[in-house]
Structures are given as C-alpha cells and as structure tokens.
Amino acid sequence: MSLTGTYDPQNIFAKIIRGEIPAVKVYEDDTVLSFMDVFPQSEGHTLVIPKSEARNLLDIAPDALQNLIVKTQLVAQAVNKALTPDGIRIAQFNGEPAGQTVFHIHFHIIPAYDSQSEAPHASGQMADTDKLKALAERIKAEL
Ligand code: AMP
C-alpha cells in the first residue's frame, strides 16, 4: 500500500468520527477527537485524530497538523495530571512497514511507568471497556 494512496473513508477511525462504531472518548471539538486505544500498550494509552481526512503525516494539511499536535499536547497534559506516569511517549507511524495499521492519521499518547512493562504495539489484547471508561473519566477531569 503506497504512502500517498487514496484515503479510505471506511477505515475504523472514520467510522468512529461518524459515530458508526463506539469509542471511549476523552476529548472532542470541531476539529479533533481523542479516545482510548482499545489495545493499549500501557494504562492510559490514548489516541488523538483529526476529523479531516488524511492518511498520514505526509498528506495532512499543515494547518490541520498544527492543530492536531497542539491538541495532542493538551490531552497529554491531562493524561500526565490524571495518571502521573513516569514518562509519556508520543508516537505516529506512516505506512504499513513503519507500523501503521489504521490509515487515518493519529498521534499515540503512551504513558510509561517505571513499575509496569509495556505491551507491544497493536498486540491485539483488547482492554476491558469499563476500565477504559474509568481511565477516560480521570483524564477528562483534568481537561
Ligand atoms: P497504528 O498502528 O499507529 O495505525 O495505530 C492504530 C491504533 O489504533 C492501535 O494502537 C490500535 O490498538 C488502535 N485501535 C484499533 N482499532 C481501534 C478502535 N476501534 N478503537 C480504539 N483504538 C483502536
């Protein structure tokens, strides 16, 4: 699949934006949506996506990208206040060989804890929805 291929409006994040499938939301405004990753690498793994269509960092409009990274900082600050991790990794993958599995651009906010090991990327270990909802409530309270 080419890095500069056509945007597929049937990708799973486009369906979440349209409300066709559920997500445990943390933050939403006219331009971005943030929700809990259902296959979290660590406790509090959160995603931030633009509502506009873009596959990756190479084809997103510059103004949408600027807004996306600022909103990622906003959510990361709330994750930090809510969960007090020892570190936070911000990750973003472009193209399948680079690790991208959903072709709607997103930033990962992955808390890192001295006391917890991290699951691998896209491990397929689905989190308990009630636990994700409880984490989302704690993060939302800091926004
Ligand atoms: P990437 O591999 O960078 O494209 O990241 C896609 C991320 O989306 C992975 O971390 C998946 O765990 C996550 N993911 C996939 N499907 C869903 C979903 N329905 N809701 C929330 N997160 C998802």
Side-chain angles (χ1 to χ4, degrees), residues 10 13 16 36 48 69 96 129 133 135-136:
Q10 294 310 320
F13 291 173
I16 287 174
M36 305 308 294
V48 188
I69 194 67
E96 210 166 342
T129 304
K133 284 182 179 168
L135 285 164

Side-chain angles (χ1 to χ4, degrees), residues 12-13 16 21-24 35-41 45 47 91-94 99-104 106 108 121-124 126:
I12 201 148
F13 291 173
I16 287 174
I21 63 165
V24 179
F35 50 94
M36 305 308 294
D37 195 306
V38 284
F39 306 107
Q41 287 183 246
H45 183 168
L47 302 170
Q92 191 275 319
F93 305 111
N94 301 284
Q100 187 174 11
T101 58
V102 178
F103 296 92
H104 179 108
H106 48 280
H108 295 259
H121 176 64
S123 66
M126 194 178 279

